[in-house]
Amino acid sequence: MILLVLAAGFLSLTEIAFAGARKIKLKLLAEAGDERALQVMALQVHSAEFFAASQIGLNAIAILGGILGEGALRPFFIDWVSTVYVGPALDNIGFALSFLFVTCLFILFADLMPKRLAMIAPERIAVAVIKPVQWYIRICKPLAWLLNLVANLIFRIFKVDTAREDSITFDEISAAVEAGAQAGVLQKQEQHFIENVFELESRSVASAMTNRDSVVYFTLTENEASIRQKVAGHSKFPVCDGSIDRVIGYVDTRDILVRLLNKQSVFQLNESSVRTVLIIPDTLTLSELLDKFRATKETFAVVINEYALVMGVITLSDIMLTVMGSWGSPLDQDDQIMQREDGSWLIDGSTPVGDVKRTVGLESLPDEEAYETAAGFMMYMLRKVPKRTDSVEYMGVKFEVLDVDHYRIDQLLVRILPPPHGEPESGD
């Protein structure tokens, strides 16, 4: 009985270990020089033979264990029960107790405990047992081949695809990162950093650019005094022919600084003294813009819409700040989102919706593809141009317009609403 239990426990252990072993960790073991990891991955690809052999062993052991256990243990249970009861049901009671004992023995030591152990470190266990498992598969191969033949025929009849899916989605990566953060392997800021990198693929340039109203630009007729006054605080400036929608290039403050250090007059702006500017549509994602920056060796771009009107400007630093979040620019983060003493938040209308969700603890907002900022969310939900005191309630969070400047939402007041009367708070 002990040998049968150990054999069943070994098969249960290996079954869970091979099923739960992750391909990424096995690749790391293989790259470290452990050839057994490659054998485990090969077994996972062609797992039908192993699972057929495993089920042959487990079922055979279970049946044999029941037969041997009942015959060997029933007399002992009958003798034990006969000390307190002697009657026509004595034989049946002995059988029931021996059956219950054998069943519990196999469940505990041949199924439950081995499987829980295998879940702790499936990769290490799979690598450790691969050699004896390969020998066991060879022994069971004829019968396993026959069983797989029948199983494959049934799968084919019902059109069941048995190929293992090893692709990894963003949701799976995000879940793994979140689990790492909860386990203390990653800090919260590191979790946000990783998630922001993946969000570059879906976030548009409009979510990170400097809006049209905030763009500081030079005109061709700009005088030296005006240039000196505007140059502080920025590194690159669009140069326009009259209005902001007629961009002809840009200037870098380094060019101006060199002339100032050489005690030369700031040069007169004209089409020959400005750099060629990268013009991009507002439909690009941040990931696509990074590719364009890499291809053109530029770090500055002007964003236009379908009517060729300038929507704003964006730099490589803006993208990096989007990725780094509060690491990259804590002052900017504080300017956009500020928590008050009562627990509510003052949020700038231009704050990206991703930052808003993380701040207030929302998993998602309705139809997020329709807007990029907190102001866009309000306009989408209200279906009108918002005015002061307009508010929206969503998933227990209230968004209220505090300030509007020429139809543009400057600031929102966001607070978590108390649960309705009679309902317990979350977590109670």
Side-chain angles (χ1 to χ4, degrees):
M1 286 297 296
I2 293 174
L3 289 175
L4 289 176
V5 170
L6 291 176
F10 175 79
L11 291 176
S12 296
L13 182 82
T14 55
E15 194 173 52
I16 295 299
F18 286 123
R22 287 159 288 189
K23 193 172 182 180
I24 293 176
K25 287 197 172 184
L26 290 172
K27 282 184 176 180
L28 293 175
L29 291 173
E31 290 173 0
D34 196 337
E35 294 183 358
R36 296 175 299 174
L38 295 175
Q39 296 172 353
V40 173
M41 287 192 288
L43 185 63
Q44 287 180 332
V45 174
H46 306 286
S47 59
E49 287 186 353
F50 165 70
F51 283 113
S54 176
Q55 290 306 307
I56 290 171
L58 286 171
N59 284 280
I61 289 171
I63 294 171
L64 185 58
I67 295 172
L68 294 178
E70 190 275 333
L73 298 175
R74 182 165 59 169
F76 291 99
F77 281 109
I78 289 176
D79 289 343
W80 177 64
V81 174
S82 63
T83 60
V84 294
Y85 170 79
V86 178
L90 181 62
D91 192 62
N92 290 334
I93 293 174
F95 169 78
L97 290 175
S98 62
F99 173 79
L100 181 63
F101 179 81
V102 171
T103 301
C104 292
L105 184 70
F106 272 85
I107 290 175
L108 183 61
F109 294 104
D111 195 61
L112 181 61
M113 290 178 62
K115 288 181 177 179
R116 289 182 63 179
L117 287 174
M119 290 301 296
I120 295 173
E123 295 82 16
R124 284 191 294 170
I125 293 175
V127 168
V129 302
I130 184 63
K131 293 296 183 182
V133 166
Q134 288 175 330
W135 280 104
Y136 174 71
I137 291 174
R138 292 190 184 99
I139 296 171
C140 298
K141 193 166 187 177
L143 183 56
W145 176 84
L146 179 62
L147 292 174
N148 277 322
L149 183 66
V150 176
N152 290 336
L153 179 62
I154 295 173
F155 283 138
R156 195 175 296 115
I157 292 173
F158 289 99
K159 298 179 180 180
V160 177
D161 185 10
T162 58
R164 178 175 170 135
E165 180 61 58
D166 285 323
S167 61
I168 300 177
T169 65
F170 168 71
D171 290 337
E172 291 171 334
I173 296 175
S174 180
V177 170
E178 184 175 354
Q182 292 176 351
V185 178
L186 294 174
Q187 295 182 8
K188 202 67 177 177
Q189 293 280 24
E190 292 172 328
Q191 177 191 2
H192 291 165
F193 171 76
I194 295 171
E195 290 176 346
N196 288 343
V197 170
F198 284 98
E199 284 183 5
L200 294 181
E201 199 67 44
S202 58
R203 289 185 62 169
S204 71
V205 294
S207 66
M209 70 182 183
T210 300
N211 291 320
R212 174 190 178 101
D213 293 342
S214 302
V215 173
V216 178
Y217 65 93
F218 297 149
T219 65
L220 289 175
T221 59
E222 201 87 24
N223 58 51
E224 184 172 332
S226 178
I227 292 176
R228 287 175 179 271
Q229 184 179 2
K230 290 181 178 180
V231 78
H234 299 278
S235 61
K236 295 177 176 63
F237 299 84
V239 179
C240 306
D241 186 8
S243 70
I244 191 174
D245 294 314
R246 300 182 64 182
V247 179
I248 61 173
Y250 78 96
V251 292
D252 195 311
T253 51
R254 289 176 299 179
D255 299 333
I256 301 174
L257 182 60
V258 168
R259 297 184 66 87
L260 291 176
L261 290 176
N262 292 331
K263 298 181 180 180
Q264 298 175 350
S265 175
V266 178
F267 56 86
Q268 181 65 37
L269 297 176
N270 54 55
E271 294 187 9
S272 62
S273 62
V274 299
R275 303 188 184 193
T276 302
V277 67
L278 177 64
I279 307 291
I280 61 168
D282 60 355
T283 53
L284 286 187
T285 64
L286 293 178
S287 178
E288 291 171 329
L289 177 57
L290 273 178
D291 291 336
K292 286 190 175 293
F293 278 158
R294 188 181 302 112
T296 60
K297 310 297 183 184
E298 291 287 348
T299 59
F300 176 80
V302 173
V303 184
I304 64 172
N305 63 10
E306 60 183 310
Y307 303 107
L309 299 177
V310 172
M311 304 299 295
V313 297
I314 188 169
T315 67
L316 182 60
S317 296
D318 293 328
I319 300 177
M320 292 302 101
L321 289 178
T322 300
V323 173
M324 300 299 289
S326 57
W327 276 0
S329 181
L331 293 177
D332 289 349
Q333 182 75 7
D334 290 343
D335 287 343
Q336 285 196 319
I337 302 176
M338 182 176 65
Q339 188 166 19
R340 305 198 307 173
E341 292 182 359
D342 62 357
S344 62
W345 296 272
L346 295 177
I347 297 181
D348 190 272
S350 62
T351 305
V353 291
D355 294 339
V356 175
K357 289 190 298 181
R358 278 193 291 269
T359 298
V360 301
L362 289 175
E363 292 287 335
S364 62
L365 293 173
D367 301 326
E368 292 181 32
E369 67 280 357
Y371 46 86
E372 296 285 347
T373 64
F377 163 73
M378 293 297 292
M379 294 181 73
Y380 180 82
M381 296 296 288
L382 292 170
R383 299 297 181 180
K384 67 174 184 176
V385 178
K387 63 180 185 298
R388 287 186 62 186
T389 71
D390 282 343
S391 64
V392 169
E393 292 184 13
Y394 178 74
M395 299 293 289
V397 181
K398 183 175 182 180
F399 301 82
E400 182 179 350
V401 179
L402 280 188
D403 190 25
V404 177
D405 181 18
H406 195 64
Y407 305 115
R408 176 182 176 274
I409 298 177
D410 268 350
Q411 201 168 58
L412 298 173
L413 173 63
V414 182
R415 62 178 182 269
I416 307 296
L417 296 175
H421 182 68
E423 291 188 11
E425 293 186 6
S426 177
D428 287 353

